[in-house]
Amino acid sequence: MIPRTCEPIADDPLVEAEIYRDMDHTIVNRQFVDDLILGGPVGPWVVDLGCGPAHIPILLCEAIQGDGGETHYRPAQERLRVMATDVAVEMLEIAKFEIEMAGRVEQIELQQIDLNQPNALQADIADTLMCNTVLHHLDDPTNAIGLAIRAAKPGGRLFVRDLFRPASSAEVEALVEQHGGESSSAQLLRQSLHAAFTLDEIRTIIAPLGIEAEAVQITSDRHWTIDWTKP
Ligand SMILES: C[S@@+](CC[C@H](N)C(=O)[O-])C[C@H]1O[C@@H](n2cnc3c(N)ncnc32)[C@H](O)[C@@H]1O
């Protein structure tokens, strides 16, 4: 098993945010939203942890109109509202633009939140907390997952997806070859795979927080997903 190598600090956060925004994540983002909706109830109050350019909150709002009309996932009494959060002001600026362009300003609000800070989120505020490919950016995601659990209302849902670290460099390179795209995005994927937590590591991290091992499963050739409901 290759050891974990944490993500390097970005030389220029704006350039890195723009590279990330310009990468085409449409397929994985749609898969995230589809799996979230098919797996159980969503919202009406949703928090996205580490929202990046807010493409997932936008897709989610598009998938769940929630205007009081029928939806395929639950009887919608209330319009979906998303609090999209990120630590990087550069990313939040991009997210603001994307939300405006998508016409979702009234549904998606932005907050600067550092997932490493204790008490960064209030308790019992969300029906659903979602988080896509963020935890591998953190040296230790215990605080972030603890925040998410605390912020969930009783009966609320955590839906957290991230990459898992392959067993060998050869497997990393095979995934980079398959999914990495052109050189700058390929390098970001390579770094992310090296920084990612294995299934066993994430199960060890969530156990003391009260999330059972079965709540996290491998869900693709490079992702695991926590889908857990707070008692
Ligand atoms: C790989 S991007 C994923 C963005 C988004 N979730 C998506 O799937 O499109 C990782 C995001 O995590 C954010 N991030 C990294 N460390 C963070 C922290 N300590 N607190 C909050 N967000 C963080 C980054 O700024 C970046 O926007």
Side-chain angles (χ1 to χ4, degrees):
M1 172 61 69
I2 49 173
R4 181 171 184 241
T5 306
C6 288
E7 287 268 16
I9 307 288
D11 291 337
D12 186 334
L14 179 58
V15 170
E16 188 139 325
E18 286 174 342
I19 291 174
Y20 187 80
R21 175 201 56 197
D22 294 341
M23 289 162 71
D24 186 2
H25 292 110
T26 310
I27 292 173
V28 282
N29 288 351
R30 282 198 191 286
Q31 191 68 55
F32 182 96
V33 169
D34 286 351
D35 292 348
L36 173 63
I37 292 172
L38 289 173
V42 183
W45 288 95
V46 177
V47 174
D48 186 17
L49 304 170
C51 64
H55 292 153
I56 288 180
I58 292 166
L59 279 177
L60 182 64
C61 289
E62 288 169 358
I64 298 174
Q65 291 302 319
D67 295 328
E70 78 285 358
T71 71
H72 63 282
Y73 78 106
R74 68 178 172 83
Q77 303 304 326
E78 238 184 294
R79 192 171 165 84
L80 191 83
R81 297 292 303 272
V82 184
M83 183 168 88
T85 70
D86 204 282
V87 72
V89 286
E90 298 82 2
M91 213 44 125
L92 289 168
E93 278 301 315
I94 290 172
K96 182 168 179 284
F97 177 79
E98 298 285 321
I99 293 164
E100 284 170 2
M101 291 300 288
R104 296 282 166 183
V105 175
E106 282 161 24
Q107 258 183 304
I108 307 173
E109 66 175 280
L110 291 168
Q111 285 276 340
Q112 187 183 16
I113 280 177
D114 182 352
L115 294 169
N116 289 318
Q117 293 299 317
N119 304 320
L121 282 173
Q122 288 181 301
D124 294 348
I125 55 166
D127 301 292
T128 307
L129 288 110
M130 61 181 187
C131 182
N132 185 51
T133 57
V134 176
L135 296 190
H136 69 271
H137 286 274
L138 310 177
D139 289 353
D140 178 355
T142 306
N143 189 69
I145 301 170
L147 280 179
I149 293 171
R150 206 171 72 95
K153 296 175 185 172
R157 188 165 163 222
L158 259 60
F159 190 84
V160 180
R161 177 166 289 173
D162 208 335
L163 298 163
F164 62 82
R165 190 172 76 257
S168 68
S169 296
E171 287 171 71
V172 170
E173 291 310 315
L175 288 170
V176 170
E177 178 71 27
Q178 194 178 347
H179 301 291
E182 50 91 74
S183 67
S184 53
S185 59
Q187 179 58 8
L188 286 185
L189 178 59
R190 181 178 292 109
Q191 288 170 358
S192 297
L193 288 165
H194 279 282
F197 297 96
T198 65
L199 181 66
D200 283 350
E201 286 168 348
I202 199 67
R203 283 181 167 168
T204 302
I205 289 165
I206 61 177
L209 299 172
I211 302 182
E212 57 281 6
E214 297 67 39
V216 52
Q217 298 290 339
I218 297 293
T219 47
S220 86
D221 61 351
R222 59 202 187 286
H223 297 100
W224 49 250
T225 305
I226 302 173
D227 193 353
W228 179 76
T229 300
K230 184 172 170 175

Short mmCIF file of all heavy atoms in Angstrom, two decimals, residues 7 17 20 25 28-29 32 48-57 85-89 91-92 112-117 130-138 144 192, ligand 1:
data_model
loop_
_atom_site.label_atom_id
_atom_site.label_comp_id
_atom_site.label_asym_id
_atom_site.label_seq_id
_atom_site.Cartn_x
_atom_site.Cartn_y
_atom_site.Cartn_z
N GLU A 7 -2.18 16.79 0.17
CA GLU A 7 -2.21 17.73 -0.96
C GLU A 7 -1.23 18.87 -0.72
O GLU A 7 -1.19 19.42 0.38
CB GLU A 7 -3.62 18.34 -1.08
CG GLU A 7 -4.67 17.40 -1.62
CD GLU A 7 -4.82 17.50 -3.13
OE1 GLU A 7 -3.91 18.07 -3.79
OE2 GLU A 7 -5.82 17.00 -3.65
N ALA A 17 -8.17 27.43 -8.48
CA ALA A 17 -9.64 27.45 -8.51
C ALA A 17 -10.14 27.51 -9.95
O ALA A 17 -11.10 26.84 -10.32
CB ALA A 17 -10.17 28.64 -7.71
N TYR A 20 -9.72 24.17 -11.63
CA TYR A 20 -10.76 23.23 -11.17
C TYR A 20 -12.10 23.55 -11.83
O TYR A 20 -12.80 22.65 -12.32
CB TYR A 20 -10.88 23.25 -9.65
CG TYR A 20 -11.81 22.16 -9.17
CD1 TYR A 20 -11.36 20.85 -9.06
CD2 TYR A 20 -13.15 22.41 -8.93
CE1 TYR A 20 -12.21 19.83 -8.69
CE2 TYR A 20 -14.01 21.39 -8.57
CZ TYR A 20 -13.54 20.11 -8.44
OH TYR A 20 -14.38 19.09 -8.10
N HIS A 25 -16.42 18.16 -14.88
CA HIS A 25 -16.82 17.16 -13.89
C HIS A 25 -18.28 16.76 -14.06
O HIS A 25 -18.89 16.23 -13.14
CB HIS A 25 -16.63 17.72 -12.47
CG HIS A 25 -15.20 17.93 -12.09
ND1 HIS A 25 -14.63 19.17 -11.94
CD2 HIS A 25 -14.20 17.05 -11.86
CE1 HIS A 25 -13.36 19.05 -11.62
NE2 HIS A 25 -13.07 17.78 -11.57
N VAL A 28 -19.32 13.01 -13.17
CA VAL A 28 -19.26 12.63 -11.75
C VAL A 28 -20.21 13.49 -10.91
O VAL A 28 -20.79 13.01 -9.93
CB VAL A 28 -17.82 12.71 -11.18
CG1 VAL A 28 -17.00 11.52 -11.58
CG2 VAL A 28 -17.13 14.00 -11.49
N ASN A 29 -20.40 14.74 -11.30
CA ASN A 29 -21.33 15.58 -10.55
C ASN A 29 -22.76 15.08 -10.69
O ASN A 29 -23.52 15.04 -9.72
CB ASN A 29 -21.24 17.04 -11.02
CG ASN A 29 -19.94 17.70 -10.58
OD1 ASN A 29 -19.19 17.15 -9.78
ND2 ASN A 29 -19.68 18.89 -11.09
N PHE A 32 -23.18 12.03 -8.65
CA PHE A 32 -23.31 12.39 -7.23
C PHE A 32 -24.76 12.78 -6.92
O PHE A 32 -25.37 12.29 -5.97
CB PHE A 32 -22.36 13.55 -6.93
CG PHE A 32 -22.36 14.00 -5.49
CD1 PHE A 32 -21.40 13.52 -4.60
CD2 PHE A 32 -23.30 14.90 -5.02
CE1 PHE A 32 -21.39 13.92 -3.26
CE2 PHE A 32 -23.31 15.31 -3.68
CZ PHE A 32 -22.35 14.83 -2.81
N ASP A 48 -23.73 22.22 1.62
CA ASP A 48 -22.66 21.61 0.84
C ASP A 48 -21.33 22.03 1.46
O ASP A 48 -21.04 23.23 1.59
CB ASP A 48 -22.75 22.07 -0.62
CG ASP A 48 -21.75 21.33 -1.52
OD1 ASP A 48 -21.23 20.28 -1.10
OD2 ASP A 48 -21.51 21.82 -2.63
N LEU A 49 -20.53 21.05 1.84
CA LEU A 49 -19.25 21.33 2.51
C LEU A 49 -18.14 21.31 1.46
O LEU A 49 -17.91 20.28 0.82
CB LEU A 49 -18.99 20.26 3.58
CG LEU A 49 -20.10 20.12 4.63
CD1 LEU A 49 -19.86 18.90 5.51
CD2 LEU A 49 -20.17 21.37 5.49
N GLY A 50 -17.45 22.45 1.28
CA GLY A 50 -16.40 22.52 0.26
C GLY A 50 -17.02 22.52 -1.13
O GLY A 50 -16.76 21.64 -1.95
N CYS A 51 -17.83 23.54 -1.40
CA CYS A 51 -18.69 23.53 -2.61
C CYS A 51 -17.93 23.77 -3.90
O CYS A 51 -18.47 23.53 -4.99
CB CYS A 51 -19.79 24.58 -2.47
SG CYS A 51 -19.17 26.28 -2.38
N GLY A 52 -16.68 24.30 -3.83
CA GLY A 52 -15.97 24.62 -5.06
C GLY A 52 -16.78 25.61 -5.89
O GLY A 52 -17.36 26.56 -5.35
N PRO A 53 -16.88 25.39 -7.20
CA PRO A 53 -17.61 26.33 -8.07
C PRO A 53 -19.14 26.20 -7.97
O PRO A 53 -19.85 26.81 -8.77
CB PRO A 53 -17.12 25.97 -9.47
CG PRO A 53 -16.42 24.67 -9.37
CD PRO A 53 -16.21 24.32 -7.94
N ALA A 54 -19.61 25.41 -7.02
CA ALA A 54 -21.06 25.25 -6.76
C ALA A 54 -21.80 24.54 -7.89
O ALA A 54 -23.02 24.68 -8.02
CB ALA A 54 -21.73 26.59 -6.43
N HIS A 55 -21.09 23.76 -8.68
CA HIS A 55 -21.78 23.04 -9.75
C HIS A 55 -22.75 21.99 -9.20
O HIS A 55 -23.83 21.79 -9.76
CB HIS A 55 -20.75 22.37 -10.68
CG HIS A 55 -19.95 23.37 -11.48
ND1 HIS A 55 -18.69 23.12 -11.94
CD2 HIS A 55 -20.23 24.64 -11.85
CE1 HIS A 55 -18.24 24.17 -12.59
NE2 HIS A 55 -19.15 25.12 -12.54
N ILE A 56 -22.38 21.34 -8.09
CA ILE A 56 -23.27 20.32 -7.52
C ILE A 56 -24.52 20.95 -6.91
O ILE A 56 -25.64 20.48 -7.19
CB ILE A 56 -22.50 19.39 -6.56
CG1 ILE A 56 -21.57 18.47 -7.39
CG2 ILE A 56 -23.44 18.57 -5.68
CD1 ILE A 56 -20.74 17.49 -6.61
N PRO A 57 -24.41 22.00 -6.10
CA PRO A 57 -25.65 22.63 -5.63
C PRO A 57 -26.57 23.08 -6.78
O PRO A 57 -27.80 22.92 -6.70
CB PRO A 57 -25.15 23.85 -4.83
CG PRO A 57 -23.80 23.45 -4.37
CD PRO A 57 -23.23 22.57 -5.44
N THR A 85 -20.76 26.07 1.06
CA THR A 85 -19.67 26.61 1.87
C THR A 85 -18.32 26.21 1.29
O THR A 85 -18.16 25.14 0.69
CB THR A 85 -19.76 26.06 3.32
OG1 THR A 85 -19.42 24.68 3.31
CG2 THR A 85 -21.15 26.23 3.89
N ASP A 86 -17.35 27.07 1.49
CA ASP A 86 -15.97 26.74 1.08
C ASP A 86 -15.03 27.63 1.88
O ASP A 86 -15.42 28.71 2.34
CB ASP A 86 -15.78 26.99 -0.42
CG ASP A 86 -14.64 26.15 -1.00
OD1 ASP A 86 -13.46 26.51 -0.80
OD2 ASP A 86 -14.93 25.11 -1.63
N VAL A 87 -13.80 27.17 2.05
CA VAL A 87 -12.81 27.99 2.77
C VAL A 87 -12.17 29.03 1.86
O VAL A 87 -11.73 30.08 2.33
CB VAL A 87 -11.71 27.08 3.39
CG1 VAL A 87 -10.79 26.49 2.35
CG2 VAL A 87 -10.92 27.83 4.45
N ALA A 88 -12.13 28.78 0.55
CA ALA A 88 -11.34 29.62 -0.36
C ALA A 88 -12.19 30.75 -0.94
O ALA A 88 -13.18 30.48 -1.64
CB ALA A 88 -10.77 28.76 -1.48
N VAL A 89 -11.78 31.98 -0.67
CA VAL A 89 -12.55 33.12 -1.20
C VAL A 89 -12.52 33.11 -2.73
O VAL A 89 -13.49 33.50 -3.37
CB VAL A 89 -12.02 34.48 -0.66
CG1 VAL A 89 -12.41 34.69 0.76
CG2 VAL A 89 -10.53 34.62 -0.83
N MET A 91 -12.58 30.52 -4.64
CA MET A 91 -13.58 29.55 -5.08
C MET A 91 -14.98 30.14 -4.88
O MET A 91 -15.87 29.96 -5.73
CB MET A 91 -13.39 28.28 -4.26
CG MET A 91 -13.69 27.00 -4.92
SD MET A 91 -13.08 26.78 -6.58
CE MET A 91 -12.14 25.29 -6.41
N LEU A 92 -15.19 30.84 -3.77
CA LEU A 92 -16.51 31.41 -3.50
C LEU A 92 -16.86 32.49 -4.52
O LEU A 92 -18.04 32.63 -4.90
CB LEU A 92 -16.56 31.97 -2.07
CG LEU A 92 -16.56 30.89 -0.97
CD1 LEU A 92 -16.31 31.51 0.40
CD2 LEU A 92 -17.88 30.11 -0.97
N GLN A 112 -18.39 31.40 3.84
CA GLN A 112 -17.00 30.97 3.98
C GLN A 112 -16.87 30.18 5.29
O GLN A 112 -17.14 30.72 6.37
CB GLN A 112 -16.04 32.15 3.99
CG GLN A 112 -14.59 31.67 3.95
CD GLN A 112 -13.58 32.78 4.04
OE1 GLN A 112 -13.92 33.90 4.42
NE2 GLN A 112 -12.35 32.48 3.69
N ILE A 113 -16.46 28.94 5.16
CA ILE A 113 -16.35 28.06 6.33
C ILE A 113 -15.09 27.21 6.18
O ILE A 113 -14.84 26.63 5.12
CB ILE A 113 -17.61 27.17 6.45
CG1 ILE A 113 -18.73 27.98 7.09
CG2 ILE A 113 -17.33 25.91 7.26
CD1 ILE A 113 -20.03 27.25 7.20
N ASP A 114 -14.32 27.15 7.25
CA ASP A 114 -13.14 26.28 7.28
C ASP A 114 -13.51 25.01 8.04
O ASP A 114 -13.80 25.05 9.24
CB ASP A 114 -11.98 27.01 7.97
CG ASP A 114 -10.71 26.18 7.98
OD1 ASP A 114 -10.75 24.99 7.59
OD2 ASP A 114 -9.66 26.74 8.38
N LEU A 115 -13.47 23.91 7.35
CA LEU A 115 -13.87 22.63 7.96
C LEU A 115 -12.91 22.16 9.04
O LEU A 115 -13.20 21.20 9.75
CB LEU A 115 -14.01 21.56 6.87
CG LEU A 115 -15.14 21.80 5.87
CD1 LEU A 115 -15.03 20.84 4.69
CD2 LEU A 115 -16.49 21.64 6.55
N ASN A 116 -11.79 22.83 9.16
CA ASN A 116 -10.85 22.49 10.23
C ASN A 116 -11.18 23.21 11.54
O ASN A 116 -10.57 22.92 12.57
CB ASN A 116 -9.41 22.85 9.83
CG ASN A 116 -8.90 21.91 8.76
OD1 ASN A 116 -9.13 20.71 8.82
ND2 ASN A 116 -8.24 22.47 7.75
N GLN A 117 -12.10 24.17 11.47
CA GLN A 117 -12.42 24.95 12.67
C GLN A 117 -13.55 24.28 13.47
O GLN A 117 -14.59 23.96 12.89
CB GLN A 117 -12.89 26.37 12.28
CG GLN A 117 -11.81 27.23 11.67
CD GLN A 117 -10.66 27.46 12.62
OE1 GLN A 117 -10.85 27.72 13.80
NE2 GLN A 117 -9.44 27.35 12.10
N MET A 130 -23.99 17.48 2.32
CA MET A 130 -23.32 16.76 1.23
C MET A 130 -21.90 17.30 1.07
O MET A 130 -21.62 18.45 1.44
CB MET A 130 -24.12 16.88 -0.07
CG MET A 130 -24.31 18.30 -0.57
SD MET A 130 -25.29 18.29 -2.09
CE MET A 130 -25.19 20.03 -2.56
N CYS A 131 -21.05 16.46 0.53
CA CYS A 131 -19.63 16.84 0.45
C CYS A 131 -18.98 15.96 -0.61
O CYS A 131 -19.00 14.73 -0.49
CB CYS A 131 -19.01 16.60 1.83
SG CYS A 131 -17.27 17.04 1.96
N ASN A 132 -18.44 16.58 -1.65
CA ASN A 132 -17.84 15.79 -2.73
C ASN A 132 -16.37 16.13 -2.92
O ASN A 132 -16.01 17.29 -3.17
CB ASN A 132 -18.59 16.06 -4.05
CG ASN A 132 -18.09 15.16 -5.17
OD1 ASN A 132 -18.00 13.95 -5.01
ND2 ASN A 132 -17.73 15.75 -6.28
N THR A 133 -15.55 15.11 -2.79
CA THR A 133 -14.09 15.19 -3.01
C THR A 133 -13.43 16.38 -2.32
O THR A 133 -12.71 17.16 -2.94
CB THR A 133 -13.73 15.17 -4.53
OG1 THR A 133 -14.39 16.21 -5.21
CG2 THR A 133 -14.06 13.84 -5.14
N VAL A 134 -13.69 16.47 -1.03
CA VAL A 134 -13.11 17.53 -0.20
C VAL A 134 -12.21 16.95 0.90
O VAL A 134 -11.14 17.50 1.20
CB VAL A 134 -14.22 18.40 0.43
CG1 VAL A 134 -13.65 19.44 1.37
CG2 VAL A 134 -15.06 19.07 -0.65
N LEU A 135 -12.62 15.83 1.48
CA LEU A 135 -11.93 15.36 2.70
C LEU A 135 -10.45 15.07 2.46
O LEU A 135 -9.63 15.23 3.37
CB LEU A 135 -12.63 14.12 3.27
CG LEU A 135 -14.07 14.32 3.76
CD1 LEU A 135 -14.55 13.10 4.52
CD2 LEU A 135 -14.22 15.57 4.62
N HIS A 136 -10.08 14.67 1.24
CA HIS A 136 -8.66 14.37 1.00
C HIS A 136 -7.80 15.63 1.04
O HIS A 136 -6.58 15.54 1.07
CB HIS A 136 -8.48 13.62 -0.33
CG HIS A 136 -8.75 14.44 -1.54
ND1 HIS A 136 -10.00 14.56 -2.12
CD2 HIS A 136 -7.93 15.24 -2.27
CE1 HIS A 136 -9.93 15.36 -3.16
NE2 HIS A 136 -8.69 15.79 -3.28
N HIS A 137 -8.45 16.81 1.03
CA HIS A 137 -7.69 18.07 1.16
C HIS A 137 -7.29 18.33 2.61
O HIS A 137 -6.48 19.22 2.87
CB HIS A 137 -8.52 19.25 0.66
CG HIS A 137 -8.65 19.31 -0.82
ND1 HIS A 137 -7.71 19.90 -1.64
CD2 HIS A 137 -9.60 18.81 -1.65
CE1 HIS A 137 -8.07 19.79 -2.91
NE2 HIS A 137 -9.22 19.13 -2.94
N LEU A 138 -7.90 17.61 3.54
CA LEU A 138 -7.68 17.89 4.96
C LEU A 138 -6.66 16.90 5.53
O LEU A 138 -6.68 15.72 5.21
CB LEU A 138 -9.01 17.75 5.71
CG LEU A 138 -10.20 18.52 5.11
CD1 LEU A 138 -11.46 18.24 5.91
CD2 LEU A 138 -9.91 20.01 5.03
N ALA A 144 -14.14 17.81 10.38
CA ALA A 144 -15.14 18.09 9.33
C ALA A 144 -16.33 17.14 9.45
O ALA A 144 -17.50 17.57 9.36
CB ALA A 144 -14.49 17.95 7.96
N SER A 192 -4.52 14.21 -5.86
CA SER A 192 -5.71 13.89 -5.05
C SER A 192 -5.74 12.41 -4.69
O SER A 192 -6.06 12.05 -3.55
CB SER A 192 -6.98 14.27 -5.80
OG SER A 192 -7.02 15.65 -6.03
C1 LIG B 1 -11.82 19.11 -5.29
S1 LIG B 1 -12.69 20.57 -4.86
C2 LIG B 1 -14.35 19.93 -4.80
C3 LIG B 1 -15.37 21.01 -4.97
C4 LIG B 1 -16.83 20.55 -5.01
N1 LIG B 1 -17.20 19.82 -3.84
C5 LIG B 1 -17.10 19.75 -6.26
O1 LIG B 1 -17.26 18.54 -6.18
O2 LIG B 1 -17.16 20.34 -7.35
C6 LIG B 1 -12.28 20.73 -3.13
C7 LIG B 1 -12.84 21.97 -2.47
O3 LIG B 1 -12.62 21.87 -1.05
C8 LIG B 1 -12.33 23.14 -0.56
N2 LIG B 1 -11.63 23.02 0.72
C9 LIG B 1 -10.38 22.59 0.94
N3 LIG B 1 -10.06 22.66 2.26
C10 LIG B 1 -11.16 23.15 2.88
C11 LIG B 1 -11.47 23.46 4.24
N4 LIG B 1 -10.56 23.32 5.21
N5 LIG B 1 -12.70 23.94 4.53
C12 LIG B 1 -13.63 24.11 3.53
N6 LIG B 1 -13.38 23.85 2.23
C13 LIG B 1 -12.17 23.36 1.91
C14 LIG B 1 -11.47 23.74 -1.66
O4 LIG B 1 -11.40 25.16 -1.56
C15 LIG B 1 -12.19 23.26 -2.91
O5 LIG B 1 -13.17 24.17 -3.33
#
